[in-house]
Every structure is written in C-alpha cells, then in structure tokens.
Amino acid sequence: MRGVHEFSIAEALVAQVQRHAPPSGRVREVEICVGALRGLEPDALRMSWEAVTHGTSIDGAILHVDLRPWTITCSSCGRTWTSPVPFVACACGDPAPRPTAGDELDLVSLTVETEED
Amino acid sequence: MAEAARTTRIPLVERVLEANDEVAAANRAQLERRGIFSVDLIGAPGSGKTALLEATLRALRGRRQPAVLVGDLATRRDGDRLARWCDQVVQISTGQGCHLEANQVRDALAEIDLDAVDLLFIENVGNLICPVGFDLGQSAKVGLFSTAEGEDKAAKHPYLVEAADLILLNKVDLLPYLAFDRSFFEADVRLLNPRVPILGVSATTGEGLEAWLAWLERAARSGLPASTD
Ligand SMILES: Nc1nc2c(ncn2[C@@H]2O[C@H](COP(=O)(O)OP(=O)(O)OP(=O)(O)O)[C@@H](O)[C@H]2O)c(=O)[nH]1
Ligand SMILES: [Mg+2]
Ligand SMILES: [Zn+2]
Ligand SMILES: [Zn+2]
C-alpha cells in the first residue's frame, strides 16, 4: 500500500480532516480539488483514503475528488480546450499544442452529520 | 423523543500539504538568512543522482563549502559514497517513504554546522512523481533524467518538468549505444516548460559538468526566482 503514490497524500488529508471535524459530529463526505499537474489518480486516492481512514473516527467518510483537467492551447489556430491528458494533437493538424495545468491540492469542504432533538 | 440527524456542509479552502509547506517555509527562511543556496535533486532510481553529486563535490573542492542531505529508502550506501567528497553529509532514511518531506530536512539541517556551509544539495529518493509535490524549502528544483531511461520520460512526468528550474540529461556518454532521440526529449520538455534550461551531462566522463557548475554558480549568486510556490 505504501508504494502507491497517493498514500502519503491520503495520510496528510486524514490528519487535516480530523483537525477540522467538529467534536460532536460525524464526517460523512470530504471534497478535495486536484490539479492535473499533480498526476494523482482519483481511484488510487480513494483506495488509499479507505485504507487510511479505516478504524479511525472518520471511517466511512466518502472522498470526492474534483480532478481539474489540462488546458490545451493551440498557437496555430488559437483554439483552447480541456483534456484529461497533456499530449494531444489539434484538429487543425498542429501535432503539439501547449498543455498547461494547475498543481492545486486543496481540501474544499466537509459534510458533517450532527444529532439534534 | 426522536433524534433527527442534521447534515452541514462546511466549506474550507486549505492546502492538503499545508503542514509540510509551513515547515518548508521555515527551512527556506533559515537557509536564505544564511545565504545558503539549496538544490532539491529529483530523478528516477539509478538516473545518476549520487554519481552526479560525487562528480560535483569533487569539482567544487576548495571552491565551495557544500553539504549534502541524501534520502534513501533502506541503505547508507549513497551517503557513504558522498562522504568521500564532503565532510557534511546527512543520510535520511525514509523507510517506506517514497519522497522526502520538509520535517525530515529540518531535522537533518539540525545535524549540520550551517556556519560552515554555502551550498546545500538534497538528493531526493529515487522517484519522479512524489518528491515534486513536497516542498522542502529548497532554492531550486533540478530534474535529473538519464538517456538510459528512454526519451519519453519527460513526457510521462510533466509535474517534474513543469516545476524544475533546470533539467539535466545524464549519461550522455551512452548516446552512441542507445536509440535515444535527444530532440524528442527536448521537445517534450519545451512544451511543458518553455523557458527551463536543459543541460546534457555525464557524471562518469565529466562531459557537460562545467555548464552545470556554471549554472549552479549563477543561480547561487542571483538567488534565482526559485520554486517557492
Ligand atoms: N555510463 C554512465 N553511467 C552512469 C552515469 N551516471 C551514473 N551512472 C551509473 O548509473 C548507476 C546508478 O547511479 P547512481 O548515482 O547510484 O544513481 P541514483 O540516481 O543515485 O540512484 P538511487 O539513489 O538508487 O535512486 C551507477 O552504476 C552509476 O555508475 C553516467 O553519466 N554515465
Ligand atoms: Mg543515489
Ligand atoms: Zn510515491
Ligand atoms: Zn490548432
């Protein structure tokens, strides 16, 4: 499990979520946003998340990963679009339009369930 | 009396690696205060990180006062190799960790006499992926690729290429024996990071070493608009 690159990210995230979780509530959902540059796999993140949260106070919380795509900009025809992968050809025939992406890795929200009368 | 569950969405915007980033910022402040230029050397296992540092330390003897932190999963071999050329080498055993984190660098720096240092090399764990996302507080990130790994490795590791202040292509002495098209490699680098310098080197023959040392001197003098993001 340690070999998975997403594992250390999941570990950092668990500590962070536990810091923010209100003591009286149960964390049901956790939402993060990840720039394509990070190269993280949402499935591997969720697997690591399940392994790391298992048996903790946030066991069972669902991880939502908002993966931001690459932006491809073609200088030959001026077209701009998004793509899950960086190296793509443009419809105009340019074989190598420029890929750019962010490296954000942010905790966006927690959804917490609290009991009330 | 029935209890109803109430769900609340708590919006937050906080970096997941904020704890690491804070320690990295403290490392950076400490190094900058002392005028120590630092390089985080990132490359695949076997790309030649230790070999390049051995050649570099040998060339810098009498010119600079370097120190080296070296991250390794399980052995002390790299640290022992480097200690032949440099008095101040700290081995960081990462165990199962596939990258260095800022707190490991902070602890290792505490073992060094920083007054006697003006240049710091950090050999990261052999890995082209994880080390890139963990800021250590370095002045510059250097991405080390080697001809033996194949010309597609820059394209397959866009984060390192994008984040690097310098790309080194090691083992150029092997080019005559390999089907490695340097123009393909360089085109991929250029597409991801149009301005980054690319230098070909050979840690074994010393080819290209002068250009790498010149880059180091220039970057250390100018303070470099480093990878502080
Ligand atoms: N031909 C040739 N071989 C090299 C060169 N640089 C390194 N090597 C060889 O490549 C192998 C790996 O070199 P290391 O310096 O141990 O590589 P590393 O990146 O530090 O490896 P890890 O720390 O294990 O990730 C060794 O056998 C070196 O002798 C080079 O420029 N040319
Ligand atoms: Mg090494
Ligand atoms: Zn990893
Ligand atoms: Zn186009």
Side-chain angles (χ1 to χ4, degrees):
Chain A
M1 206 54 211
R2 260 302 203 160
V4 177
H5 299 307
E6 285 74 6
F7 198 87
S8 50
I9 306 291
E11 278 184 323
L13 183 60
V14 168
Q16 188 180 25
V17 169
Q18 284 174 328
R19 270 200 309 280
H20 282 290
S24 62
R26 254 194 101 68
V27 179
R28 291 298 182 197
E29 293 171 53
V30 173
E31 188 187 357
I32 64 171
C33 150
V34 182
L37 206 48
R38 288 262 168 191
L40 296 169
E41 293 286 342
D43 282 343
L45 266 175
R46 281 187 288 264
M47 269 176 52
S48 300
W49 172 255
E50 280 167 26
V52 176
T53 52
H54 186 73
T56 71
S57 61
I58 56 172
D59 197 346
I62 297 164
L63 179 66
H64 299 283
V65 181
D66 172 17
L67 187 61
R68 301 280 165 85
W70 289 87
T71 298
I72 313 292
T73 311
C74 180
S75 58
S76 303
C77 70
R79 218 161 65 88
T80 292
W81 69 101
T82 61
S83 160
V85 291
F87 291 89
V88 289
C90 182
C92 79
D94 189 324
R98 172 145 158 76
T100 53
D103 72 341
E104 63 271 31
L105 175 54
D106 296 329
L107 174 58
V108 175
S109 76
L110 300 182
T111 302
V112 178
E113 192 175 283
T114 44
E115 301 292 332
E116 60 181 30
D117 297 325
Chain B
M1 190 171 66
E3 287 198 335
R6 190 168 59 113
T7 54
T8 321
R9 182 177 180 275
I10 307 171
L12 301 158
V13 175
E14 191 177 287
R15 292 190 312 277
V16 173
L17 299 179
E18 185 173 72
N20 181 78
D21 291 350
E22 280 171 10
V23 179
N27 291 346
R28 178 168 290 117
Q30 183 188 22
L31 292 167
E32 281 179 358
R33 198 169 55 242
R34 292 168 179 276
I36 299 172
F37 184 77
S38 56
V39 170
D40 182 6
L41 184 60
I42 300 175
S47 55
K49 297 178 293 300
T50 308
L52 179 79
L53 289 179
E54 288 178 285
T56 305
L57 293 170
R58 191 170 60 189
L60 289 176
R61 271 189 311 179
R63 287 159 66 177
R64 279 279 185 177
Q65 297 181 288
V68 187
L69 313 183
V70 49
D72 200 335
L73 296 170
T75 75
R76 296 197 50 84
R77 293 187 188 178
D78 286 0
D80 292 343
R81 279 165 65 187
L82 294 162
R84 297 216 311 271
W85 307 106
C86 179
D87 302 333
Q88 304 220 60
V89 177
V90 179
Q91 176 92 37
I92 305 171
S93 291
T94 57
Q96 311 221 46
C98 54
H99 57 270
L100 290 176
E101 298 196 9
N103 55 2
Q104 295 170 313
V105 168
R106 177 198 56 205
D107 295 347
L109 286 177
E111 292 182 39
I112 286 181
D113 176 11
L114 289 175
D115 290 333
V117 171
D118 59 9
L119 187 58
L120 176 71
F121 296 103
I122 305 169
E123 177 180 339
N124 218 309
V125 181
N127 177 347
L128 291 164
I129 299 173
C130 304
V132 189
F134 287 82
D135 188 9
L136 303 178
Q138 74 288 333
S139 318
K141 276 194 179 109
V142 173
L144 181 75
F145 292 89
S146 93
T147 58
E149 296 158 27
E151 66 207 5
D152 59 353
K153 289 306 170 290
K156 289 183 177 177
H157 300 93
Y159 196 14
L160 176 57
V161 175
E162 201 269 353
D165 298 292
L166 173 70
I167 296 289
L168 292 177
L169 178 63
N170 190 32
K171 309 193 188 183
V172 290
D173 58 295
L174 298 180
L175 281 171
Y177 314 102
L178 300 168
F180 182 100
D181 191 326
R182 196 164 163 175
S183 64
F184 284 2
F185 174 81
E186 296 194 355
D188 287 338
V189 171
R190 285 274 157 267
L191 206 54
L192 291 160
N193 190 345
R195 281 172 302 276
V196 71
I198 307 170
L199 298 176
V201 292
S202 167
T204 37
T205 68
E207 183 180 345
L209 213 61
E210 278 309 317
W212 150 241
L213 294 172
W215 180 90
L216 265 179
E217 287 298 336
R218 217 169 34 244
R221 247 200 328 272
S222 69
L224 201 88
S227 49
T228 50
D229 49 325

